[in-house]
Amino acid sequence: MIKKIQRLSDLKFLLSLENDIWVDNIKESKSFQLNEFDNVKQTLLTTYQENGLKFYTNYQIKAI
């Protein structure tokens, strides 16, 4: 399952965790596999509150 991450404060999508790069277009953002996503999510939660992030699955992405 593919997942994407959106920051709700400015509605940008994560492109690079290492460089803290966020982009406007979901199609330009990074797609995470489930095992990688869990690590990225835990890292982001050290900086952001969970209600400040939105997590999309590949099923939700198709609707955007």
Side-chain angles (χ1 to χ4, degrees):
M1 180 178 297
I2 295 173
K3 296 200 174 207
K4 295 204 178 236
I5 302 170
Q6 183 180 33
R7 182 172 60 191
L8 296 178
S9 62
D10 57 5
L11 302 178
K12 293 194 177 215
F13 297 90
L14 184 62
L15 175 63
S16 170
L17 178 64
E18 294 80 21
N19 298 318
D20 195 36
I21 299 173
W22 298 78
V23 295
D24 293 320
N25 190 333
I26 193 170
K27 293 179 182 178
E28 296 172 359
S29 64
K30 178 150 174 64
S31 298
F32 298 97
Q33 296 297 326
L34 187 57
N35 56 348
E36 181 185 19
F37 169 78
D38 291 334
N39 293 332
V40 170
K41 180 180 176 184
Q42 291 307 313
T43 302
L44 285 171
L45 290 178
T46 63
T47 305
Y48 300 96
Q49 293 184 4
E50 191 161 2
N51 62 358
L53 299 170
K54 186 168 183 178
F55 308 103
Y56 291 92
T57 64
N58 51 338
Y59 300 110
Q60 294 167 314
I61 293 167
K62 291 178 184 176
I64 294 177

